[in-house]
Amino acid sequence: MKGDYQDLVDEISALLGAPATLENRDFRLIAFGAHDSDDDLAMDPVRTRSILTRQSTAAVRSWFEGFGIARATGPVRIPAAPDAGVFRGRICLPVRFRGIVQGYVWLLDQEPGAPGPEPAALDAAMEVAQRIGVLLAEEAKAGADLSREFQAVLTAGRGWQQDMAVAALRAALGPGGDGLHAAVCVAPWPGEAPASVPGAAAVCVVPGRGGGAGEAGDAPTAGPAGGGPALAVLLRLRSTDALAPALTAVARLLPRTADPAAAGAAGAGTAGPRAKAAAGAGAAARAAGAGGSAGTAPAGQPSGGALRMTAGVADPVRGLAELPAAWEQAVAAARAAVAEPRLGPVAQWSQIGPYRLLAGLASDPVDDPAARALLAPAHRELARTAEVFLDCAGQAGRAAAALGIHRQTLYYRLGRVEQLTGLDLDAGEDRLLLHMALKASRLA
């Protein structure tokens, strides 16, 4: 699909001399312009929460819609309301297509008494908003029209059923089906699929599968094992080397966990540095867990004790024949991001290392007799010690430093590990078995 939301938002920002933010009609952030102001009032509670969660609350949405923005055909001025957490007034440009609202462009209004945008500039900005409306409507229609076909590909059993589902999706996509795509899994996903995802050819929600490995012929490509529903996104790519736009679109689907003081843009009527958006998909996304195993939760225990939302991005594929396999890659990458926070909220299949193999093996919880006792809750510290030791290639000095313990303490703990498991940590095959069991337990 032609057009670039970011370019259009930047065009509006230039026309009105103020940072603009684009949200879809569900108040989910799509794009925003640069905002370098040091004004503390610009970071009101509504904006802060929006940047952390990438969307506004139902109460905030209802409050803004109370000004008639969903019915408006021209700019709407919304006054400041400190009691509601809105410290600065907004200007809302409804984004419509054929009379139906598709989203909203938000700008911070000038302080009372200060001159606002000229009427001619607002008219020009509304023309740009109409172009955005066309893009949003086309993407929403494509995503809605293809959600059934897309889901069928991801849930069909192997063999002729899957072949028929792929053929149906290819026919629905037309010539675009032969292009370059990346499959994305976002899990766990609450609720329905978003109305639109920039750059997406198709979007759907895939139900989670049970913990079992399944029988031959069962659907191998449902959502993450043992988890809830997942959001599946089929993203268009321009080249195999141009993943940045795809990663940015994926990162915007996830709640932001950055320090609000360091963030610059958000939800309804907010904006922030474009560099933040790009970084959110790459280095900043991975910075959530920059440390190694020594700084992660014990094996089998996701950081924070609760399953967090993560995303996995498969290797690019041309055409749709390899889409089921690409979806498996995306699911595996999303699971790996939960298992190893250092891989980031957005993990790429090509960068998850041993989890590429382990994700395909660990459909069921790990229950190897040798590792069973070590993986019990009472021995979490010993399991962590063993994992760090094996991550350090059996080098005691490195492992002790990573754990922050004396080398003699490390040797004592490793002796206890050998007693519990019956394994010899001087034997290569025993090391391999224990290392695989510890890593696989994180995927449970």
Side-chain angles (χ1 to χ4, degrees), residues 1-421:
M1 182 176 295
K2 296 180 180 179
D4 183 338
Y5 291 115
Q6 189 63 61
D7 288 345
L8 294 173
V9 167
D10 289 344
E11 186 175 343
I12 291 177
S13 297
L15 284 169
L16 301 181
T21 297
L22 172 63
E23 294 180 331
N24 66 17
R25 59 189 169 200
D26 296 322
F27 283 60
R28 287 184 178 272
L29 184 65
I30 296 176
F32 49 83
H35 179 65
D36 301 321
S37 173
D38 294 327
D39 186 358
D40 291 338
L41 294 179
M43 285 303 296
D44 57 31
V46 169
R47 172 173 296 184
T48 300
R49 189 190 187 285
S50 296
I51 196 169
L52 291 176
T53 64
R54 287 293 182 184
Q55 61 182 341
S56 299
T57 65
V60 168
R61 172 177 176 169
S62 178
W63 189 82
F64 279 117
E65 288 178 336
F67 289 89
I69 60 174
R71 302 183 302 274
T73 57
V76 177
R77 272 194 160 87
I78 300 174
D83 291 344
V86 181
F87 295 164
R88 287 280 295 275
R90 265 68 161 173
I91 298 177
C92 176
L93 307 181
V95 176
R96 311 183 75 87
F97 177 72
R98 294 182 178 175
I100 299 175
V101 67
Q102 304 293 330
Y104 307 98
V105 174
W106 300 90
L107 302 102
L108 289 178
D109 204 354
Q110 297 294 330
E111 293 289 350
E118 295 291 334
L122 285 172
D123 290 343
M126 282 300 300
E127 291 180 3
V128 179
Q130 290 178 1
R131 288 153 55 194
I132 295 175
V134 173
L135 293 179
L136 285 175
E138 289 178 353
E139 286 199 338
K141 182 177 184 299
D145 287 352
L146 300 181
S147 60
R148 182 177 299 179
E149 289 84 353
F150 186 31
Q151 187 186 70
V153 171
L154 305 184
T155 57
R158 292 187 178 93
W160 65 270
Q161 291 178 324
Q162 194 171 83
D163 292 342
M164 289 185 64
V166 169
L169 180 60
R170 182 183 293 112
L173 284 171
D178 296 326
L180 199 63
H181 297 89
V184 174
C185 172
V186 182
W189 184 261
E192 300 178 352
S196 63
V197 176
V203 181
C204 71
V205 174
V206 180
R209 56 185 161 189
E215 300 294 333
D218 286 350
T221 48
L231 179 71
V233 183
L234 183 63
L235 286 173
R236 302 180 185 88
L237 299 178
R238 294 180 180 177
S239 72
T240 56
D241 299 327
L243 276 176
L247 296 176
T248 299
V250 173
R252 287 174 175 167
L253 294 170
L254 301 177
R256 286 287 293 272
T257 56
D259 179 359
T270 64
R274 291 182 62 182
K276 292 284 185 181
R286 292 187 293 273
S293 297
T296 60
Q301 298 296 318
S303 180
L307 203 61
R308 61 194 178 93
M309 185 183 292
T310 59
V313 182
D315 284 344
V317 294
R318 188 170 295 280
L320 302 177
E322 299 302 318
L323 179 55
W327 172 244
E328 283 294 310
Q329 291 183 1
V331 171
R335 294 177 64 198
V338 174
E340 288 281 7
R342 65 181 175 81
L343 295 174
V346 180
Q348 296 176 244
W349 162 259
S350 60
Q351 298 177 2
I352 63 175
Y355 290 101
R356 291 188 298 205
L357 173 64
L358 293 173
L361 301 177
S363 294
D364 293 313
V366 173
D367 190 30
D368 187 89
R372 189 178 300 154
L374 182 62
L375 291 173
H379 300 303
R380 286 176 180 169
E381 193 60 35
L382 287 178
R384 176 171 172 265
T385 298
E387 185 175 6
V388 173
F389 174 71
L390 295 169
D391 285 346
C392 293
Q395 298 180 27
R398 285 179 56 200
L403 290 164
I405 60 177
H406 194 274
R407 188 177 297 202
Q408 289 303 120
T409 303
L410 173 66
Y411 290 143
Y412 169 76
R413 292 184 184 178
L414 293 178
R416 291 278 293 122
V417 169
E418 290 185 325
Q419 292 175 4
L420 283 170
T421 62

